């Protein structure tokens, strides 16, 4: 039946045969369904797919965002069952329970629910994301405790969580003492995950603890637990990350593996002693983030074709540059996923290994035993790889080893911290790498940033101010074809007007002219001017193109403008 449904999508012109083939290949490599792959590739939205499935099989499609579901109906299915099977009860009529499912043909789940509630089940169709969001919204107030109520409980009681340093009790608190703190940490992690946060910051000050979540790149202050909870909170996090809870003077790093909402994910923990106590940052590493196809990274058609040509070359260095948190790892992992085939051997050197990639040999840097990037590269070359990923080029030794690897017939991917693509050439030469080696080995450099995407639920069209249009030199012809969108703010985007982020790129492909300029060690501005003459779009120009399509706002583009060389036009 699924094959007939997919063929109908092609016959009706919803997708093309080539797009279906691409989705089948992606679903096979990621181990997901073809439907999920189609949504991931952006060929059809989850809502559109749900409506098409419902129409195909004769089921009703429901919009859970606008539906009011009584708590008495929600309580008919336990939260654990709802999360495990991704279902949500929506109504009860004549002793028949209507249940929203993403796959209304899953007879095993329907039979399980029929047995559990002792009623007939009438399935209706809704997208997976909508069901997950409804579960978080509806069960959050009934069966689970909120962070706010938990903190109120701590604030209104006088329980003392202060540790006694150096004692055995500080390493193993009694269950009665630590149970509330365990619940609070679990609630903070669950809430951050459900709000799509990438980081959790727990920062001590003189009279309070500040908890902030980084959502779509912006820090949002969430809670202020009492200062007396600091020792207990940090000790609980250290225990989860297998750190030394007695060490309070030195920075520590650790890792937590946990499960939220039926999904396994990792957290990278960093603890830094500050003047008011130990500051904690928990980086959430969602494995789904690295499974995005190259199509979904945000490339325009020109850059997409260039990128595909670059990663399929037999040798050379491809550098991705940008600040921390700009999506460099996701881009490189997507490229490795595209190249990960049985006929290729891929080895990575990372500090640390953030995501485990099946079929790829990953090596973690360990400075305490002298296992740094340069030493790993020397060793991996004896393993006869086809593709090498060097997590970061930090010094001249690592740079020279990576260049030698590319010159001996290997395809090398790496990252560098520069503001733009042409600046990477100057950075490598400043590190001490000979200009002729840079000119002969580097085949392309790509700078990238992440900008926020306008919320699809509350977006509205508008006309920007004349000053904005003038600042970006937007012509009347562009205005005539542009779609300017902005978000009004709703529960779907936490009233920010934005939900999710997309990458913008500045892709500089080396050619004979640029290699000659590199050989002569010409300054960055000359390289940039020449690259733009050969068709390179700057970060701001790429972001502006997305704003003209209504994917983001001019305000997001303006934030890039300070370092995007908007007015550095070629002669």
């Amino acid at each position: 039946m699924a094959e007939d449904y997919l063929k109908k999508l092609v016959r009706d012109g919803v997708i093309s045969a080539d797009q279906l083939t691409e989705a089948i290949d992606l679903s096979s490599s990621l181990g997901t369904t073809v439907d999920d792959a189609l949504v991931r590739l952006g060929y059809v939205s989850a809502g559109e797919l749900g409506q098409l499935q419902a129409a195909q099989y004769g089921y009703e499609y429901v919009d859970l965002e606008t539906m009011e579901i009584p708590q008495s109906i929600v309580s008919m299915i336990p939260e654990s069952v709802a999360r495990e099977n991704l279902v949500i009860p929506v109504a009860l009529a004549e002793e028949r329970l209507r249940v929203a499912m993403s796959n209304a043909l899953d007879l095993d789940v329907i039979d399980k629910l029929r047995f559990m509630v002792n009623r007939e089940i009438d399935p209706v169709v809704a997208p997976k994301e909508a069901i997950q969001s409804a579960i978080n919204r509806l069960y959050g107030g009934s069966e689970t405790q909120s962070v706010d109520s938990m903190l109120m409980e701590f604030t209104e009681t006088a329980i003392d969580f202060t540790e006694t340093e150096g004692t055995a009790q500080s390493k193993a608190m009694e269950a009665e003492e630590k149970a509330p703190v365990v619940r609070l940490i679990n609630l903070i992690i669950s809430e951050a995950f459900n709000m799509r946060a990438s980081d959790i910051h727990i920062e001590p000050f003189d009279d309070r603890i500040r908890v902030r979540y980084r959502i779509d790149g912006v820090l949002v202050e969430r809670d202020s637990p009492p200062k007396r909870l600091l020792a207990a909170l940090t000790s609980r996090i250290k225990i989860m990350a297998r750190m030394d809870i007695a060490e309070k003077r030195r920075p520590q790093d650790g890792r937590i593996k946990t499960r939220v909402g039926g999904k396994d994910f990792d957290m990278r923990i960093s603890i830094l002693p500050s003047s008011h106590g130990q500051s904690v940052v928990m980086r959430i590493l969602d494995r789904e983030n690295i499974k995005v196809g190259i199509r979904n990274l945000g490339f325009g058609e020109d850059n997409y074709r260039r990128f595909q040509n670059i990663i399929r070359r037999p040798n050379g260095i491809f550098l991705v540059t940008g600040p921390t948190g700009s999506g460099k790892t996701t881009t490189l992992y997507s490229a490795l996923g595209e190249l990960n085939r049985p006929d290729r051997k891929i080895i990575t050197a990372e500090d640390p290994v953030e995501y485990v990639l099946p079929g790829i040999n990953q090596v973690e840097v360990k400075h305490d035993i002298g296992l740094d990037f340069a030493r790993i590269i020397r060793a991996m070359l004896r393993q006869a790889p086809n593709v090498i990923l060097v997590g970061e080029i930090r010094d001249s030794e690592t740079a020279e080893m990576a260049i030698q690897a590319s010159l001996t017939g290997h395809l090398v991917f790496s990252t560098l911290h520069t503001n733009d693509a042409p600046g990477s050439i100057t950075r490598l030469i400043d590190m001490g790498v000979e200009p002729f080696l840079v000119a002969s080995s580097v085949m392309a450099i790509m700078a990238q940033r992440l900008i926020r995407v306008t919320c699809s639920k509350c977006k509205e069209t508008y006309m920007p101010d004349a000053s904005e249009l003038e600042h970006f030199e937007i012509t009347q012809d562009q205005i005539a074809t542009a779609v300017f969108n902005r978000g009004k703010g709703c529960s779907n985007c936490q009233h920010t007007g934005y939900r999710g982020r997309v990458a913008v790129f500045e892709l500089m492909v080396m050619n004979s002219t640029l290699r000659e300029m590199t050989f002569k060690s010409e300054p960055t501005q000359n390289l940039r001017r020449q690259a733009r003459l050969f068709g390179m779009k700057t970060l701001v120009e790429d972001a502006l193109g997305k704003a003209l399509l209504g994917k983001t706002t001019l305000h997001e583009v303006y934030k890039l403008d300070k370092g995007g060389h908007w007015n550095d036009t070629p002669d």
Side-chain angles (χ1 to χ4, degrees):
M1 292 181 73
E3 291 182 1
D4 294 339
Y5 160 67
L6 295 172
K7 290 176 182 176
K8 189 175 187 304
L9 291 179
V10 177
R11 285 198 306 272
D12 292 347
V14 178
I15 59 173
S16 67
D18 290 340
Q19 289 173 336
L20 177 58
T21 302
E22 185 181 356
I24 292 172
D25 292 341
L26 180 64
S27 68
S28 177
S29 63
L30 298 182
T32 62
T33 65
V34 179
D35 294 346
D36 287 340
L38 285 170
V39 174
R40 192 182 293 274
L41 289 168
Y43 295 144
V44 61
S45 71
E48 292 170 338
L49 199 57
Q51 293 179 31
L52 291 167
Q53 288 174 333
Q56 171 71 13
Y57 299 123
Y59 291 106
E60 182 185 348
Y61 177 82
V62 295
D63 184 359
L64 295 177
E65 292 289 337
T66 58
M67 180 176 285
E68 292 291 335
I69 306 175
Q71 201 62 50
S72 59
I73 300 297
V74 174
S75 61
M76 295 184 72
I77 295 180
E79 179 182 356
S80 58
V81 176
R83 291 190 183 278
E84 180 184 353
N85 299 284
L86 209 62
V87 299
I88 189 82
V90 295
L92 180 65
E94 299 179 357
E95 295 302 307
R96 298 178 70 91
L97 184 63
R98 301 178 74 211
V99 178
M101 307 171 61
S102 61
N103 180 12
L105 300 177
D106 195 336
L107 300 180
D108 289 339
V109 172
I110 294 172
D111 287 341
K112 182 192 299 185
L113 296 176
R114 183 186 295 117
F115 176 78
M116 181 174 296
V117 301
N118 195 26
R119 286 179 172 87
E120 286 299 317
I121 303 297
D122 290 335
V124 294
V125 177
K128 285 182 180 178
E129 284 189 1
I131 296 174
Q132 186 69 65
S133 176
I135 291 172
N136 294 334
R137 182 177 72 251
L138 296 170
Y139 285 103
S142 58
E143 293 190 6
T144 59
Q145 191 174 15
S146 68
V147 175
D148 292 330
S149 64
M150 189 78 183
L151 287 174
M152 187 176 295
E153 176 185 329
F154 282 127
T155 305
E156 292 176 350
T157 58
I159 305 172
D160 186 9
F161 289 92
T162 306
E163 281 188 89
T164 305
E165 291 195 39
T167 67
Q169 188 178 8
S170 68
K171 297 181 180 179
M173 294 183 292
E174 295 295 332
E176 293 79 14
E177 282 186 319
K178 73 176 183 179
V181 175
V182 172
R183 296 205 312 275
L184 177 58
I185 290 294
N186 291 342
L187 286 168
I188 289 174
I189 293 173
S190 298
E191 183 179 68
F193 185 81
N194 292 330
M195 293 177 70
R196 302 175 298 103
S198 59
D199 303 272
I200 302 170
H201 295 253
I202 301 175
E203 304 157 312
F205 292 97
D206 187 35
D207 57 346
R208 68 186 180 108
I209 303 170
R210 182 170 68 179
V211 177
R212 295 190 291 176
Y213 303 152
R214 189 180 294 277
I215 303 171
D216 292 336
V218 178
L219 281 170
V220 177
E221 188 164 350
R222 186 64 187 91
D223 301 291
S224 293
K227 182 64 182 288
R228 57 191 170 82
L229 290 180
L230 178 63
L233 288 173
T234 54
S235 291
R236 174 56 187 166
I237 293 169
K238 286 182 178 181
I239 289 169
M240 294 172 71
R242 294 179 172 83
M243 296 179 181
D244 182 1
I245 65 172
E247 178 57 73
K248 297 179 176 62
R249 299 170 299 169
R250 295 189 179 95
Q252 292 189 68
D253 294 306
R255 205 177 183 96
I256 294 173
K257 289 190 176 184
T258 186
R259 187 176 181 86
V260 173
K263 290 177 61 177
D264 293 313
F265 67 96
D266 298 334
M267 304 185 75
R268 200 172 71 206
I269 313 301
S270 172
I271 294 184
L272 180 69
S274 69
S275 57
H276 294 292
Q278 298 174 89
S279 175
V280 182
V281 175
M282 308 167 76
R283 166 69 63 88
I284 299 174
L285 305 174
D286 187 357
R287 298 169 193 173
E288 294 297 317
N289 291 343
I290 62 165
K291 293 182 180 179
V292 296
I294 291 178
R295 270 285 184 192
N296 282 353
L297 291 175
F299 285 114
E301 282 302 318
D302 289 344
N303 281 343
Y304 176 75
R305 286 196 297 270
R306 290 175 183 172
F307 185 81
Q308 287 283 6
N309 290 333
I310 290 164
I311 66 174
R312 280 170 171 74
R313 293 186 185 179
N315 61 282
I317 292 183
F318 177 49
L319 293 174
V320 180
T321 79
T324 302
S326 60
K328 301 188 298 296
T329 301
T330 301
T331 298
L332 289 177
Y333 278 10
S334 297
L336 292 185
E338 188 92 356
L339 299 174
N340 188 13
R341 298 290 182 268
D343 60 337
R344 294 190 184 97
K345 184 177 179 78
I346 303 175
I347 306 180
T348 73
E350 302 172 64
D351 183 20
V353 173
E354 291 189 358
Y355 301 95
V356 177
L357 300 172
I360 293 177
N361 302 273
Q362 296 174 269
V363 184
E364 185 159 319
V365 170
K366 296 179 180 175
H367 295 288
D368 53 341
I369 60 172
L371 188 64
D372 53 16
F373 281 117
R375 190 168 181 180
I376 293 173
I377 296 171
R378 288 193 197 95
M380 68 169 57
L381 290 178
R382 295 192 287 270
Q383 297 270 317
N386 301 105
V387 182
I388 294 171
L389 168 65
V390 180
E392 184 183 345
I393 293 179
R394 297 175 179 171
D395 51 44
S396 59
E397 185 181 12
T398 304
E400 288 179 1
M401 287 300 305
I403 286 173
Q404 291 301 327
S406 71
L407 294 175
T408 52
H410 301 88
L411 179 61
V412 181
F413 295 125
S414 190
T415 68
L416 203 61
H417 287 288
T418 58
N419 290 327
D420 58 2
S424 299
I425 298 290
T426 308
R427 174 65 58 85
L428 288 172
I429 295 173
D430 289 344
M431 278 184 181
V433 181
E434 293 293 341
F436 75 90
L437 287 176
V438 178
S440 58
S441 61
V442 175
M443 57 180 179
I445 302 170
M446 186 169 75
Q448 74 176 75
R449 300 288 191 279
L450 294 176
I451 59 172
R452 293 184 292 175
V453 177
T454 307
C455 176
S456 60
K457 298 289 184 183
C458 63
K459 67 181 179 182
E460 61 177 3
T461 58
Y462 79 109
M463 179 54 66
D465 295 335
S467 59
E468 289 181 291
L469 299 173
E470 184 179 349
H471 175 81
F472 291 111
E473 301 171 7
I474 300 174
T475 65
Q476 289 299 321
D477 291 340
Q478 288 176 313
I479 294 173
T481 58
V483 179
F484 295 105
N485 286 329
R486 65 184 174 190
K488 293 184 290 185
C490 64
S491 58
N492 185 55
C493 58
Q494 280 88 45
H495 301 281
T496 61
Y498 300 96
R499 182 179 173 94
R501 289 188 290 175
V502 68
V504 292
F505 302 99
E506 180 177 288
L507 181 56
M508 185 177 82
V509 180
M510 298 293 284
N511 54 35
S512 56
T513 304
L514 291 171
R515 293 187 194 282
E516 182 69 23
M517 295 174 72
T518 301
F519 182 75
K520 294 178 181 178
S521 301
E522 294 207 18
T524 300
Q525 59 266 29
N526 293 355
L527 290 167
R528 183 186 303 113
R529 190 175 298 111
Q530 193 64 40
R532 293 192 65 189
L533 286 172
F534 283 110
M536 181 190 80
K537 285 185 177 181
T538 65
L539 290 165
V540 176
E541 288 171 331
D542 193 28
L544 183 60
K546 291 178 171 61
L548 293 175
L549 293 173
K551 294 181 180 178
T552 187
T553 63
L554 289 179
H555 176 71
E556 285 293 292
V557 182
Y558 189 78
K559 290 196 298 186
L560 280 177
D561 194 16
K562 295 177 182 178
H565 314 291
W566 172 248
N567 296 315
D568 185 18
T569 53
D571 296 330

